[in-house]
Coordinates of all heavy atoms in Angstrom, one line a residue:
M1 N 32.3 -3.3 11.2 CA 31.1 -2.6 11.8 C 29.9 -3.4 11.4 O 29.7 -3.7 10.2 CB 31.1 -1.2 11.3 CG 30.0 -0.4 11.7 SD 30.2 1.3 11.2 CE 28.5 1.7 10.7
G2 N 29.0 -3.8 12.3 CA 27.8 -4.5 12.0 C 26.7 -3.6 11.6 O 26.7 -2.4 11.7
T3 N 25.7 -4.3 11.1 CA 24.5 -3.6 10.6 C 23.5 -3.6 11.7 O 23.2 -4.6 12.3 CB 23.9 -4.3 9.4 OG1 24.9 -4.4 8.4 CG2 22.7 -3.5 8.8
S4 N 22.9 -2.4 12.1 CA 21.9 -2.4 13.2 C 20.6 -3.0 12.8 O 20.3 -3.1 11.6 CB 21.7 -0.9 13.6 OG 20.9 -0.3 12.7
R5 N 19.9 -3.5 13.8 CA 18.6 -4.1 13.5 C 17.6 -3.2 12.8 O 17.0 -3.6 11.8 CB 17.9 -4.5 14.8 CG 18.6 -5.6 15.5 CD 17.9 -5.8 16.9 NE 18.2 -7.1 17.4 CZ 17.5 -7.7 18.3 NH1 16.4 -7.1 18.8 NH2 17.8 -8.9 18.7
S6 N 17.6 -1.9 13.2 CA 16.6 -1.0 12.5 C 17.0 -0.8 11.1 O 16.2 -0.6 10.2 CB 16.5 0.3 13.3 OG 17.8 1.0 13.3
S7 N 18.3 -0.7 10.8 CA 18.7 -0.5 9.4 C 18.3 -1.6 8.5 O 18.0 -1.5 7.3 CB 20.2 -0.1 9.3 OG 21.0 -1.1 9.6
L8 N 18.4 -2.9 9.0 CA 18.0 -4.0 8.2 C 16.5 -3.9 7.9 O 16.1 -4.1 6.8 CB 18.3 -5.3 9.0 CG 19.7 -5.7 9.2 CD1 19.9 -6.9 10.1 CD2 20.4 -6.0 7.8
A9 N 15.7 -3.6 8.9 CA 14.3 -3.4 8.6 C 14.0 -2.3 7.7 O 13.2 -2.4 6.8 CB 13.5 -3.2 10.0
D10 N 14.7 -1.2 7.9 CA 14.6 0.0 7.0 C 15.0 -0.4 5.5 O 14.3 0.0 4.6 CB 15.5 1.1 7.4 CG 15.0 1.8 8.7 OD1 13.8 1.6 9.1 OD2 15.8 2.5 9.3
R11 N 16.0 -1.2 5.4 CA 16.4 -1.6 4.0 C 15.3 -2.5 3.4 O 15.0 -2.3 2.2 CB 17.7 -2.4 4.1 CG 18.9 -1.4 4.4 CD 20.1 -2.1 4.8 NE 20.6 -2.9 3.7 CZ 21.6 -3.8 3.8 NH1 22.2 -4.0 5.0 NH2 22.0 -4.5 2.8
L12 N 14.7 -3.3 4.1 CA 13.6 -4.1 3.6 C 12.4 -3.3 3.2 O 11.8 -3.4 2.2 CB 13.2 -5.2 4.5 CG 14.2 -6.4 4.7 CD1 13.8 -7.3 5.9 CD2 14.4 -7.1 3.4
R13 N 12.1 -2.3 4.1 CA 11.0 -1.4 3.8 C 11.2 -0.6 2.6 O 10.3 -0.3 1.8 CB 10.7 -0.5 5.0 CG 9.9 -1.2 6.1 CD 9.4 -0.3 7.2 NE 10.5 0.2 8.1 CZ 10.9 -0.5 9.2 NH1 10.3 -1.6 9.5 NH2 11.9 0.0 9.9
A14 N 12.5 -0.2 2.4 CA 12.9 0.6 1.2 C 12.6 -0.2 -0.1 O 12.5 0.4 -1.2 CB 14.3 1.0 1.3
E15 N 12.6 -1.5 0.0 CA 12.2 -2.4 -1.2 C 10.7 -2.6 -1.3 O 10.3 -3.3 -2.2 CB 12.9 -3.8 -1.0 CG 14.4 -3.7 -1.0 CD 15.0 -5.1 -0.8 OE1 14.3 -6.1 -1.2 OE2 16.1 -5.2 -0.2
G16 N 10.0 -1.9 -0.5 CA 8.5 -2.1 -0.5 C 8.0 -3.3 0.3 O 6.8 -3.6 0.1
L17 N 8.8 -3.9 1.1 CA 8.4 -5.0 1.9 C 8.0 -4.5 3.3 O 8.3 -3.5 3.7 CB 9.6 -6.0 2.0 CG 10.1 -6.6 0.7 CD1 11.4 -7.3 1.0 CD2 9.1 -7.5 0.1
A18 N 7.2 -5.4 3.9 CA 6.7 -5.1 5.3 C 7.2 -6.2 6.2 O 6.5 -7.2 6.5 CB 5.2 -5.1 5.3
P19 N 8.4 -6.0 6.8 CA 9.0 -7.0 7.6 C 8.4 -7.1 9.0 O 8.0 -6.1 9.6 CB 10.5 -6.6 7.7 CG 10.5 -5.1 7.5 CD 9.3 -4.9 6.6
T20 N 8.3 -8.4 9.5 CA 7.9 -8.6 10.8 C 9.0 -9.4 11.5 O 9.8 -10.0 10.8 CB 6.6 -9.5 10.9 OG1 6.7 -10.7 10.2 CG2 5.4 -8.7 10.3
R21 N 9.1 -9.3 12.8 CA 10.1 -10.0 13.6 C 9.6 -11.3 14.2 O 8.5 -11.4 14.7 CB 10.7 -9.1 14.7 CG 11.5 -8.0 14.2 CD 12.1 -7.2 15.3 NE 13.1 -6.3 14.8 CZ 12.8 -5.0 14.4 NH1 11.6 -4.6 14.5 NH2 13.8 -4.3 13.9
W22 N 10.5 -12.3 14.2 CA 10.2 -13.5 15.0 C 11.5 -14.0 15.5 O 12.6 -13.6 15.1 CB 9.5 -14.6 14.2 CG 10.1 -15.0 12.9 CD1 9.9 -14.5 11.7 CD2 11.1 -16.0 12.7 NE1 10.6 -15.2 10.7 CE2 11.4 -16.1 11.3 CE3 11.8 -16.9 13.6 CZ2 12.3 -17.0 10.8 CZ3 12.8 -17.8 13.1 CH2 13.0 -17.8 11.7
S23 N 11.5 -14.9 16.6 CA 12.7 -15.4 17.2 C 12.4 -16.8 17.7 O 11.2 -17.2 18.0 CB 13.2 -14.5 18.3 OG 12.3 -14.4 19.3
N24 N 13.5 -17.6 17.9 CA 13.4 -18.9 18.4 C 14.6 -19.2 19.3 O 15.7 -18.6 19.1 CB 13.3 -20.0 17.3 CG 12.0 -20.0 16.7 OD1 11.9 -19.5 15.6 ND2 11.0 -20.6 17.3
G25 N 14.5 -20.1 20.2 CA 15.6 -20.5 21.1 C 16.5 -21.4 20.5 O 16.2 -22.0 19.4
P26 N 17.7 -21.6 21.1 CA 18.7 -22.6 20.6 C 18.1 -23.9 20.3 O 17.4 -24.5 21.1 CB 19.7 -22.6 21.8 CG 19.5 -21.4 22.5 CD 18.0 -21.1 22.4
G27 N 18.5 -24.5 19.2 CA 18.1 -25.8 18.8 C 16.7 -26.0 18.3 O 16.3 -27.1 18.0
D28 N 15.9 -25.0 18.4 CA 14.5 -25.1 17.9 C 14.5 -25.6 16.4 O 15.4 -25.2 15.7 CB 13.7 -23.8 18.0 CG 13.2 -23.6 19.5 OD1 13.4 -24.4 20.3 OD2 12.7 -22.4 19.7
R29 N 13.5 -26.4 16.1 CA 13.4 -26.9 14.7 C 12.0 -26.6 14.1 O 11.0 -26.6 14.8 CB 13.6 -28.4 14.8 CG 15.0 -28.8 15.2 CD 15.1 -30.4 15.3 NE 16.5 -30.7 15.7 CZ 17.4 -30.9 14.8 NH1 17.2 -30.8 13.5 NH2 18.7 -31.2 15.2
Y30 N 12.0 -26.5 12.8 CA 10.8 -26.4 12.0 C 10.8 -27.6 11.1 O 11.8 -27.8 10.3 CB 10.8 -25.1 11.1 CG 10.5 -23.9 11.9 CD1 11.6 -23.1 12.5 CD2 9.2 -23.4 12.1 CE1 11.4 -22.0 13.2 CE2 9.0 -22.3 12.9 CZ 10.1 -21.6 13.4 OH 9.8 -20.4 14.1
A31 N 9.8 -28.4 11.1 CA 9.7 -29.6 10.2 C 9.5 -29.1 8.8 O 9.1 -27.9 8.5 CB 8.5 -30.4 10.6
A32 N 9.8 -30.0 7.8 CA 9.6 -29.6 6.4 C 8.2 -29.1 6.1 O 7.2 -29.6 6.6 CB 9.9 -30.8 5.5
H33 N 8.2 -27.9 5.4 CA 6.9 -27.3 5.1 C 7.2 -26.4 3.9 O 8.3 -26.1 3.5 CB 6.3 -26.5 6.2 CG 7.2 -25.4 6.7 ND1 8.4 -25.5 7.4 CD2 7.1 -24.0 6.4 CE1 8.9 -24.3 7.6 NE2 8.2 -23.4 7.1
E34 N 6.1 -25.9 3.3 CA 6.2 -24.9 2.2 C 5.1 -23.8 2.4 O 4.3 -24.0 3.2 CB 6.1 -25.6 0.9 CG 4.8 -26.3 0.7 CD 4.8 -27.1 -0.6 OE1 5.7 -27.9 -0.9 OE2 3.8 -27.0 -1.3
H35 N 5.3 -22.8 1.6 CA 4.3 -21.6 1.7 C 3.8 -21.3 0.3 O 4.4 -21.6 -0.7 CB 5.1 -20.4 2.2 CG 5.8 -20.6 3.5 ND1 5.1 -20.6 4.7 CD2 7.1 -20.8 3.8 CE1 5.9 -20.9 5.7 NE2 7.2 -21.0 5.2
G36 N 2.6 -20.7 0.3 CA 2.0 -20.3 -0.9 C 2.4 -18.9 -1.3 O 1.8 -18.3 -2.3
Y37 N 3.4 -18.3 -0.7 CA 3.9 -17.0 -1.0 C 5.5 -17.1 -1.1 O 6.1 -18.0 -0.5 CB 3.5 -16.0 0.0 CG 3.7 -16.4 1.4 CD1 5.0 -16.3 2.1 CD2 2.7 -17.0 2.2 CE1 5.2 -16.7 3.3 CE2 2.9 -17.5 3.5 CZ 4.1 -17.3 4.0 OH 4.3 -17.8 5.3
D38 N 6.1 -16.1 -1.7 CA 7.5 -16.0 -1.7 C 7.9 -15.4 -0.4 O 7.2 -14.5 0.2 CB 8.0 -15.1 -2.9 CG 7.8 -15.8 -4.2 OD1 7.5 -17.0 -4.3 OD2 8.0 -15.1 -5.2
K39 N 9.1 -15.8 0.2 CA 9.5 -15.4 1.5 C 10.9 -14.8 1.4 O 11.8 -15.3 0.8 CB 9.5 -16.6 2.4 CG 9.9 -16.3 3.8 CD 10.1 -17.5 4.6 CE 8.9 -18.1 5.1 NZ 9.0 -19.0 6.3
V40 N 11.1 -13.6 2.1 CA 12.4 -13.0 2.3 C 12.7 -13.0 3.8 O 11.9 -12.5 4.6 CB 12.4 -11.6 1.8 CG1 13.8 -10.9 2.1 CG2 12.1 -11.5 0.3
I41 N 13.8 -13.6 4.2 CA 14.2 -13.7 5.6 C 15.6 -13.0 5.8 O 16.5 -13.3 5.0 CB 14.2 -15.1 6.1 CG1 12.8 -15.7 6.1 CG2 14.9 -15.2 7.5 CD1 12.8 -17.2 6.5
V42 N 15.7 -12.2 6.8 CA 17.0 -11.6 7.1 C 17.3 -11.9 8.6 O 16.4 -11.6 9.5 CB 17.0 -10.1 6.9 CG1 18.4 -9.5 7.4 CG2 16.8 -9.8 5.4
V43 N 18.4 -12.5 8.9 CA 18.8 -12.7 10.3 C 19.3 -11.5 11.0 O 20.2 -10.8 10.5 CB 19.9 -13.9 10.4 CG1 20.3 -14.1 11.8 CG2 19.3 -15.1 9.8
E44 N 18.7 -11.1 12.1 CA 19.1 -9.9 12.9 C 20.3 -10.3 13.8 O 21.3 -9.7 13.8 CB 18.0 -9.4 13.7 CG 16.9 -8.7 12.8 CD 15.9 -8.0 13.7 OE1 15.2 -8.7 14.5 OE2 15.8 -6.7 13.6
V45 N 20.0 -11.4 14.6 CA 21.1 -11.9 15.5 C 21.0 -13.4 15.6 O 19.9 -14.0 15.3 CB 20.9 -11.3 16.9 CG1 21.2 -9.8 17.0 CG2 19.5 -11.6 17.5
G46 N 22.1 -14.0 15.9 CA 22.1 -15.5 16.0 C 22.3 -16.2 14.7 O 22.8 -15.6 13.8
S47 N 21.8 -17.4 14.6 CA 22.0 -18.1 13.4 C 20.8 -19.2 13.2 O 20.2 -19.6 14.2 CB 23.3 -18.9 13.4 OG 23.4 -19.8 14.4
I48 N 20.7 -19.6 12.0 CA 19.7 -20.6 11.6 C 20.1 -21.3 10.3 O 20.8 -20.6 9.5 CB 18.3 -20.0 11.5 CG1 17.2 -21.0 11.3 CG2 18.2 -18.9 10.4 CD1 15.7 -20.5 11.5
A49 N 19.8 -22.5 10.2 CA 20.1 -23.3 9.0 C 18.8 -23.7 8.3 O 18.0 -24.3 9.0 CB 21.0 -24.5 9.3
F50 N 18.7 -23.4 7.1 CA 17.5 -23.8 6.3 C 17.9 -25.0 5.4 O 19.0 -25.0 4.8 CB 17.0 -22.7 5.4 CG 16.2 -21.7 6.2 CD1 16.9 -20.6 6.8 CD2 14.9 -21.8 6.3 CE1 16.2 -19.7 7.5 CE2 14.1 -20.8 7.0 CZ 14.8 -19.8 7.7
I51 N 17.1 -26.0 5.5 CA 17.4 -27.2 4.7 C 16.4 -27.2 3.5 O 15.2 -27.2 3.7 CB 17.2 -28.5 5.5 CG1 18.2 -28.5 6.7 CG2 17.4 -29.8 4.6 CD1 17.6 -28.0 8.0
L52 N 16.9 -27.2 2.3 CA 16.1 -27.3 1.1 C 15.9 -28.8 0.8 O 16.9 -29.4 0.3 CB 16.7 -26.5 -0.1 CG 17.0 -25.1 0.2 CD1 17.6 -24.4 -1.0 CD2 15.8 -24.3 0.7
V53 N 14.7 -29.3 1.0 CA 14.5 -30.7 1.0 C 14.7 -31.3 -0.4 O 15.3 -32.4 -0.5 CB 13.1 -31.0 1.5 CG1 12.8 -32.5 1.4 CG2 12.9 -30.5 3.0
A54 N 14.3 -30.7 -1.4 CA 14.4 -31.2 -2.8 C 15.8 -31.6 -3.2 O 16.0 -32.6 -3.8 CB 13.8 -30.3 -3.8
D55 N 16.8 -30.8 -2.8 CA 18.2 -31.1 -3.2 C 19.1 -31.4 -2.0 O 20.3 -31.6 -2.2 CB 18.8 -30.0 -4.1 CG 18.8 -28.7 -3.4 OD1 18.6 -28.6 -2.2 OD2 19.2 -27.7 -4.1
G56 N 18.5 -31.5 -0.8 CA 19.3 -31.8 0.4 C 20.3 -30.8 0.8 O 21.2 -31.0 1.6
R57 N 20.2 -29.6 0.2 CA 21.2 -28.5 0.5 C 20.8 -27.8 1.8 O 19.7 -27.6 2.1 CB 21.1 -27.5 -0.6 CG 22.2 -26.5 -0.6 CD 22.1 -25.7 -1.9 NE 23.3 -25.0 -2.0 CZ 24.1 -24.9 -3.1 NH1 23.7 -25.5 -4.1 NH2 25.2 -24.3 -3.1
T58 N 21.9 -27.5 2.6 CA 21.7 -26.8 3.9 C 22.3 -25.4 3.7 O 23.5 -25.3 3.3 CB 22.3 -27.5 5.1 OG1 21.7 -28.8 5.2 CG2 22.2 -26.7 6.4
L59 N 21.5 -24.4 4.0 CA 22.0 -23.0 3.9 C 22.1 -22.4 5.3 O 21.1 -22.1 5.9 CB 21.0 -22.2 3.1 CG 20.6 -22.8 1.7 CD1 19.5 -22.0 1.1 CD2 21.9 -22.8 0.8
G60 N 23.3 -22.2 5.8 CA 23.5 -21.5 7.1 C 23.4 -20.0 6.9 O 24.0 -19.4 6.1
L61 N 22.7 -19.4 7.9 CA 22.5 -18.0 7.9 C 22.9 -17.4 9.2 O 22.6 -18.0 10.3 CB 21.1 -17.5 7.6 CG 20.4 -18.0 6.3 CD1 19.0 -17.6 6.3 CD2 21.2 -17.4 5.1
S62 N 23.6 -16.3 9.2 CA 24.0 -15.6 10.5 C 23.6 -14.1 10.3 O 23.1 -13.7 9.3 CB 25.5 -15.8 10.8 OG 26.3 -15.4 9.8
A63 N 24.0 -13.4 11.3 CA 23.5 -12.0 11.4 C 23.8 -11.2 10.1 O 24.9 -11.2 9.6 CB 24.2 -11.3 12.6
G64 N 22.8 -10.6 9.6 CA 22.9 -9.8 8.3 C 22.6 -10.6 7.1 O 22.4 -10.0 6.0
D65 N 22.7 -11.9 7.1 CA 22.4 -12.7 5.9 C 21.0 -12.7 5.5 O 20.1 -12.6 6.4 CB 22.9 -14.2 6.2 CG 24.4 -14.3 6.3 OD1 25.1 -13.4 5.9 OD2 24.8 -15.4 6.7
R66 N 20.7 -12.9 4.3 CA 19.4 -12.8 3.7 C 19.1 -14.1 2.9 O 20.0 -14.6 2.2 CB 19.3 -11.6 2.8 CG 18.0 -11.5 2.0 CD 18.0 -10.2 1.2 NE 16.8 -10.0 0.4 CZ 16.3 -8.9 0.1 NH1 16.8 -7.8 0.6 NH2 15.2 -8.8 -0.7
L67 N 17.9 -14.6 3.0 CA 17.4 -15.8 2.2 C 16.1 -15.4 1.5 O 15.2 -14.9 2.1 CB 17.2 -17.0 3.1 CG 16.7 -18.2 2.4 CD1 17.7 -18.8 1.4 CD2 16.4 -19.3 3.4
E68 N 16.1 -15.7 0.2 CA 14.9 -15.5 -0.6 C 14.4 -16.8 -1.1 O 15.2 -17.6 -1.7 CB 15.2 -14.6 -1.8 CG 15.7 -13.2 -1.4 CD 16.0 -12.3 -2.5 OE1 16.0 -12.7 -3.7 OE2 16.3 -11.1 -2.2
L69 N 13.2 -17.2 -0.7 CA 12.6 -18.5 -1.0 C 11.4 -18.4 -1.9 O 10.4 -17.7 -1.5 CB 12.3 -19.3 0.2 CG 13.3 -20.0 1.0 CD1 12.7 -20.7 2.2 CD2 14.1 -21.0 0.1
P70 N 11.3 -19.0 -3.0 CA 10.1 -19.0 -3.8 C 9.0 -19.8 -3.1 O 9.3 -20.7 -2.3 CB 10.5 -19.7 -5.1 CG 12.0 -19.7 -5.1 CD 12.4 -19.7 -3.7
A71 N 7.8 -19.5 -3.4 CA 6.6 -20.2 -3.0 C 6.8 -21.7 -3.3 O 7.5 -22.0 -4.3 CB 5.3 -19.7 -3.6
A72 N 6.3 -22.6 -2.5 CA 6.3 -24.0 -2.8 C 7.6 -24.7 -2.7 O 7.8 -25.8 -3.2 CB 5.6 -24.4 -4.1
T73 N 8.6 -24.0 -2.1 CA 9.9 -24.6 -1.8 C 9.8 -25.3 -0.5 O 9.7 -24.7 0.6 CB 11.0 -23.5 -1.7 OG1 11.1 -22.8 -2.9 CG2 12.4 -24.1 -1.4
L74 N 9.9 -26.6 -0.5 CA 9.9 -27.4 0.7 C 11.2 -27.2 1.4 O 12.3 -27.5 0.9 CB 9.7 -28.9 0.3 CG 9.4 -29.9 1.5 CD1 8.1 -29.5 2.2 CD2 9.3 -31.3 0.9
H75 N 11.0 -26.8 2.7 CA 12.2 -26.5 3.5 C 11.9 -26.8 5.0 O 10.8 -26.8 5.4 CB 12.6 -25.0 3.3 CG 11.6 -24.0 3.8 ND1 10.4 -23.7 3.0 CD2 11.5 -23.3 4.9 CE1 9.7 -22.9 3.7 NE2 10.3 -22.5 4.8
A76 N 13.0 -27.0 5.7 CA 13.0 -27.2 7.1 C 14.0 -26.2 7.7 O 14.7 -25.6 6.9 CB 13.3 -28.7 7.5
A77 N 14.1 -26.1 9.0 CA 15.1 -25.2 9.6 C 15.5 -25.7 11.0 O 14.7 -26.3 11.7 CB 14.5 -23.8 9.7
V78 N 16.7 -25.3 11.4 CA 17.2 -25.6 12.7 C 17.9 -24.4 13.2 O 18.8 -23.8 12.5 CB 18.3 -26.8 12.7 CG1 18.8 -27.1 14.1 CG2 17.6 -28.1 12.1
V79 N 17.5 -23.9 14.4 CA 18.1 -22.7 15.0 C 19.5 -23.0 15.6 O 19.7 -24.1 16.2 CB 17.1 -22.2 16.0 CG1 17.7 -21.0 16.7 CG2 15.8 -21.8 15.4
G80 N 20.4 -22.1 15.5 CA 21.7 -22.3 16.0 C 21.8 -22.3 17.5 O 20.8 -22.0 18.2
A81 N 23.0 -22.5 18.0 CA 23.3 -22.6 19.5 C 22.9 -21.4 20.3 O 22.7 -21.5 21.5 CB 24.7 -23.0 19.7
D82 N 22.9 -20.2 19.7 CA 22.6 -19.0 20.5 C 21.2 -18.5 20.2 O 20.9 -17.3 20.6 CB 23.7 -17.9 20.1 CG 25.0 -18.3 20.6 OD1 25.2 -18.9 21.7 OD2 26.0 -18.0 19.9
G83 N 20.4 -19.3 19.5 CA 19.1 -18.8 19.2 C 19.1 -17.9 17.9 O 20.2 -17.7 17.3
V84 N 18.0 -17.3 17.5 CA 17.9 -16.5 16.3 C 16.8 -15.5 16.4 O 15.8 -15.8 17.1 CB 17.8 -17.4 15.0 CG1 16.4 -17.9 14.9 CG2 18.1 -16.6 13.8
A85 N 17.0 -14.3 15.9 CA 15.9 -13.4 15.7 C 16.0 -13.0 14.2 O 17.1 -12.7 13.7 CB 16.1 -12.1 16.6
C86 N 14.9 -13.0 13.5 CA 14.8 -12.7 12.1 C 13.8 -11.7 11.7 O 12.8 -11.5 12.5 CB 14.5 -14.0 11.3 SG 15.7 -15.3 11.4
L87 N 13.9 -11.1 10.6 CA 12.9 -10.3 9.9 C 12.4 -11.1 8.8 O 13.2 -11.8 8.1 CB 13.5 -9.0 9.4 CG 14.0 -8.0 10.4 CD1 14.9 -6.9 9.7 CD2 12.9 -7.4 11.2
E88 N 11.1 -11.1 8.6 CA 10.5 -11.9 7.5 C 9.5 -11.0 6.8 O 8.7 -10.3 7.4 CB 9.8 -13.1 8.1 CG 9.2 -14.0 7.0 CD 8.6 -15.3 7.5 OE1 9.2 -15.9 8.4 OE2 7.6 -15.7 6.9
A89 N 9.5 -11.1 5.5 CA 8.6 -10.4 4.6 C 8.1 -11.3 3.5 O 8.8 -12.3 3.2 CB 9.2 -9.1 4.0
H90 N 6.9 -11.1 3.0 CA 6.3 -11.9 2.0 C 6.1 -11.1 0.7 O 5.8 -9.9 0.7 CB 5.0 -12.5 2.5 CG 5.1 -13.2 3.7 ND1 4.0 -13.5 4.5 CD2 6.2 -13.8 4.3 CE1 4.4 -14.2 5.6 NE2 5.7 -14.4 5.5
R91 N 6.3 -11.8 -0.4 CA 6.0 -11.3 -1.7 C 5.0 -12.2 -2.4 O 4.9 -13.4 -2.0 CB 7.3 -11.2 -2.6 CG 8.3 -10.2 -2.1 CD 9.4 -10.1 -3.1 NE 10.2 -8.9 -2.8 CZ 11.5 -8.8 -3.1 NH1 12.1 -9.8 -3.7 NH2 12.1 -7.7 -2.9
P92 N 4.3 -11.8 -3.4 CA 3.4 -12.7 -4.1 C 4.1 -13.8 -4.7 O 5.3 -13.6 -5.2 CB 2.8 -11.8 -5.2 CG 3.0 -10.4 -4.7 CD 4.3 -10.4 -3.9
A93 N 3.5 -15.0 -4.8 CA 4.1 -16.2 -5.4 C 4.5 -15.8 -6.8 O 3.8 -15.2 -7.5 CB 3.2 -17.3 -5.4
G94 N 5.7 -16.2 -7.2 CA 6.2 -15.9 -8.6 C 7.1 -14.7 -8.6 O 7.8 -14.5 -9.7
S95 N 7.2 -13.9 -7.6 CA 8.1 -12.8 -7.5 C 9.6 -13.2 -7.5 O 10.5 -12.5 -8.0 CB 7.8 -11.9 -6.3 OG 6.5 -11.4 -6.4
I96 N 9.8 -14.3 -6.8 CA 11.2 -14.9 -6.6 C 11.2 -16.1 -7.5 O 10.5 -17.1 -7.2 CB 11.5 -15.1 -5.2 CG1 11.5 -13.8 -4.4 CG2 12.9 -15.8 -5.0 CD1 11.6 -14.0 -2.9
V97 N 12.1 -16.2 -8.4 CA 12.2 -17.3 -9.4 C 12.9 -18.5 -8.8 O 12.5 -19.7 -8.9 CB 12.8 -16.9 -10.7 CG1 12.9 -18.1 -11.6 CG2 12.0 -15.8 -11.3
E98 N 14.0 -18.3 -8.1 CA 14.8 -19.3 -7.4 C 15.4 -18.8 -6.1 O 15.5 -17.6 -5.9 CB 15.9 -19.9 -8.4 CG 16.9 -18.9 -8.8 CD 17.9 -19.4 -9.8 OE1 17.8 -20.6 -10.2 OE2 18.8 -18.7 -10.1
W99 N 15.7 -19.8 -5.2 CA 16.2 -19.4 -3.9 C 17.6 -18.7 -4.1 O 18.3 -19.0 -5.0 CB 16.3 -20.6 -3.0 CG 17.3 -21.6 -3.4 CD1 17.1 -22.7 -4.1 CD2 18.7 -21.5 -3.1 NE1 18.3 -23.4 -4.3 CE2 19.3 -22.7 -3.6 CE3 19.5 -20.7 -2.4 CZ2 20.7 -23.0 -3.5 CZ3 20.9 -20.9 -2.2 CH2 21.4 -22.1 -2.8
R100 N 17.8 -17.8 -3.2 CA 19.1 -17.1 -3.1 C 19.5 -16.8 -1.7 O 18.7 -16.3 -0.9 CB 19.0 -15.7 -3.8 CG 19.2 -15.6 -5.2 CD 19.4 -14.3 -5.8 NE 18.8 -13.1 -5.1 CZ 19.2 -11.9 -5.3 NH1 20.2 -11.6 -6.1 NH2 18.6 -10.9 -4.7
R101 N 20.7 -17.2 -1.3 CA 21.3 -16.8 0.0 C 22.2 -15.6 -0.3 O 23.1 -15.8 -1.2 CB 22.0 -17.9 0.6 CG 22.7 -17.4 1.9 CD 23.5 -18.5 2.6 NE 24.4 -19.2 1.7 CZ 25.0 -20.3 1.9 NH1 24.8 -21.0 3.0 NH2 25.8 -20.8 1.0
I102 N 22.1 -14.5 0.3 CA 22.9 -13.3 0.1 C 23.6 -13.0 1.5 O 22.9 -12.8 2.5 CB 22.1 -12.1 -0.4 CG1 21.3 -12.5 -1.6 CG2 23.0 -11.0 -0.7 CD1 20.2 -11.5 -2.0
R103 N 24.9 -13.1 1.5 CA 25.6 -12.8 2.7 C 25.5 -11.3 3.1 O 25.4 -10.5 2.3 CB 27.1 -13.2 2.5 CG 27.3 -14.7 2.3 CD 26.9 -15.4 3.6 NE 27.3 -16.8 3.4 CZ 27.0 -17.7 4.3 NH1 26.4 -17.4 5.4 NH2 27.3 -19.0 4.2
A104 N 25.7 -11.1 4.5 CA 25.7 -9.8 5.0 C 26.7 -9.0 4.3 O 27.8 -9.4 4.0 CB 26.0 -9.8 6.5
G105 N 26.3 -7.7 4.0 CA 27.3 -6.8 3.3 C 27.2 -6.9 1.7 O 27.7 -6.1 1.0
D106 N 26.5 -8.0 1.2 CA 26.4 -8.2 -0.2 C 25.0 -7.8 -0.7 O 24.7 -8.0 -1.9 CB 26.6 -9.6 -0.6 CG 28.1 -10.0 -0.4 OD1 28.9 -9.0 -0.4 OD2 28.4 -11.2 -0.4
W107 N 24.1 -7.3 0.1 CA 22.8 -6.8 -0.3 C 22.5 -5.5 0.2 O 22.5 -4.7 0.7 CB 21.7 -7.9 0.0 CG 21.4 -8.0 1.5 CD1 22.1 -8.8 2.3 CD2 20.3 -7.4 2.2 NE1 21.5 -8.7 3.6 CE2 20.4 -7.9 3.5 CE3 19.3 -6.5 1.9 CZ2 19.6 -7.5 4.5 CZ3 18.5 -6.1 2.9 CH2 18.6 -6.6 4.2

């Protein structure tokens, strides 16, 4: 049984976060960049791969998966073959100490 879109947003709001939605088409790419805030991303539908530039690690995310990225983490991203829709919320820099990928059902 999958997790509904609204329940994912509700779960983030229950943590005191204010999620917003964004989406991209198949194969869309984000060049390497970083943010001045900590970021929490949850995939609603589709898939996306985040590339952590410093260590060359690629983190694949699909529906229900969550990624927590500390501020100043240089990362790029590539959207999967079916596109992606995500929820994103921000925390103050320093709230997240190290990146974490949490699979659907584990958070």
Side-chain angles (χ1 to χ4, degrees):
M1 179 174 141
T3 304
S4 75
R5 289 177 163 199
S6 62
S7 67
L8 290 171
D10 290 344
R11 289 167 63 192
L12 291 171
R13 283 191 285 274
E15 294 178 31
L17 298 171
T20 58
R21 286 186 171 90
W22 56 265
S23 61
N24 286 102
D28 282 352
R29 296 177 176 270
Y30 287 90
H33 64 284
E34 58 187 49
H35 304 283
Y37 48 83
D38 292 349
K39 180 189 283 204
V40 176
I41 293 175
V42 175
V43 175
E44 289 186 300
V45 294
S47 63
I48 189 168
F50 284 87
I51 299 96
L52 303 181
V53 176
D55 61 7
R57 190 171 196 133
T58 298
L59 307 172
L61 302 175
S62 56
D65 291 347
R66 175 178 176 145
L67 179 62
E68 298 178 355
L69 280 181
T73 301
L74 187 61
H75 62 284
V78 179
V79 176
D82 295 324
V84 72
C86 293
L87 294 166
E88 180 173 327
H90 302 160
R91 290 186 167 155
S95 300
I96 298 171
V97 178
E98 60 185 3
W99 68 265
R100 271 191 337 159
R101 175 181 52 194
I102 308 168
R103 293 295 186 185
D106 290 340
W107 67 277

